[in-house]
Amino acid sequence: MTGPVIPYAQRTIALVGLMGVGKSTVGRRLARRLELDFADGDDEIEAAAGMSVAEIFARYGEAEFRALEARVMRRLLEGPRIVLATGGGAILNPDTRAHMAQCATSVWMRADLDVVVSRVQRRDTRPLLRGRDPAEALRTLAEVRYPLYSLADVTVDLGLGAHTEAVETIIRSLRAFWKTQDAGDQP
């Protein structure tokens, strides 16, 4: 992908991280705080497919889900500046990673694996966890995905604090990053 170079502070903010880390919840609050629109990758995929993520996995399998996810991520990343909560596996696609590097400031929302496990056990809607021990499944996913998440522009460690605390931590981290990358306008 080629195109004009977009200053980091004017790019979409793409939140990456494991399922259950809080990308959607924190992303909505971050978008409000920055006065930007918000998009949840999984919601956008469901709207494009006319069915839930779980139904897509059940009917077409993970490979087809990932292909649809890549198309949706491309559209969102090439669109107007937003806060984007990506799906936990969106980063697996090399084209999505390249688009993210060109069009977004990426933020790895990292949390202790035990915190993530406790959150994902609350709902039975995650296809990659169905019929598996959530702790073991997340450890396996982390082994594969953490090296890719670590490519993010910014890494923010989150604890058990309030979502508003996470938002403020992300904003401080983004401002520090933008300051070192370009002289663009900051929120």
Side-chain angles (χ1 to χ4, degrees):
M1 177 180 165
T2 60
V5 175
I6 305 165
Y8 282 91
Q10 296 174 10
R11 296 176 179 201
T12 283
I13 298 166
L15 305 176
V16 301
L18 283 177
M19 65 180 85
V21 77
K23 297 181 301 284
S24 297
T25 304
V26 171
R28 281 185 189 87
R29 291 172 186 237
L30 179 64
R32 272 195 305 272
R33 176 80 161 66
L34 298 177
E35 299 179 352
L36 293 171
D37 287 334
F38 171 77
D40 180 290
D42 286 345
D43 290 348
E44 295 288 330
I45 291 165
E46 289 178 347
M51 63 182 77
S52 72
V53 169
E55 290 170 321
I56 298 167
F57 266 79
R59 188 174 295 173
Y60 300 107
E62 184 174 0
E64 284 302 313
F65 170 80
R66 295 294 174 204
L68 175 58
E69 179 179 53
R71 291 190 302 272
V72 168
M73 288 295 106
R74 181 183 189 110
R75 174 179 55 84
L76 293 169
L77 289 166
E78 292 179 352
R81 183 177 190 234
I82 59 173
V83 173
L84 171 61
T86 67
I91 199 85
L92 297 171
N93 183 292
D95 291 334
T96 298
R97 286 195 308 274
H99 275 82
M100 201 175 300
Q102 173 119 18
C103 302
T105 299
S106 54
V107 178
W108 177 14
M109 293 177 57
R110 184 170 59 185
D112 184 85
L113 216 46
D114 291 334
V115 171
V116 177
V117 169
S118 71
R119 289 179 182 165
V120 299
Q121 289 178 330
R122 297 179 197 157
R123 294 187 309 174
D124 186 28
T125 60
R126 303 187 188 269
L128 294 178
L129 299 182
R130 287 230 170 100
R132 300 175 68 191
D133 171 49
E136 184 56 38
L138 285 167
R139 270 192 271 295
T140 301
L141 291 173
E143 287 175 15
V144 172
R145 295 177 181 181
Y146 277 17
L148 299 173
Y149 295 150
S150 73
L151 300 173
D153 297 311
V154 175
T155 299
V156 177
D157 287 307
L158 305 172
L160 292 171
H163 295 304
T164 54
E165 184 181 317
V167 168
E168 293 308 315
T169 301
I170 291 170
I171 289 172
R172 279 192 308 276
S173 299
L174 284 169
R175 284 184 174 153
F177 173 75
W178 290 330
K179 188 174 183 179
T180 64
Q181 298 300 311
D182 61 45
D185 293 339
Q186 297 179 26

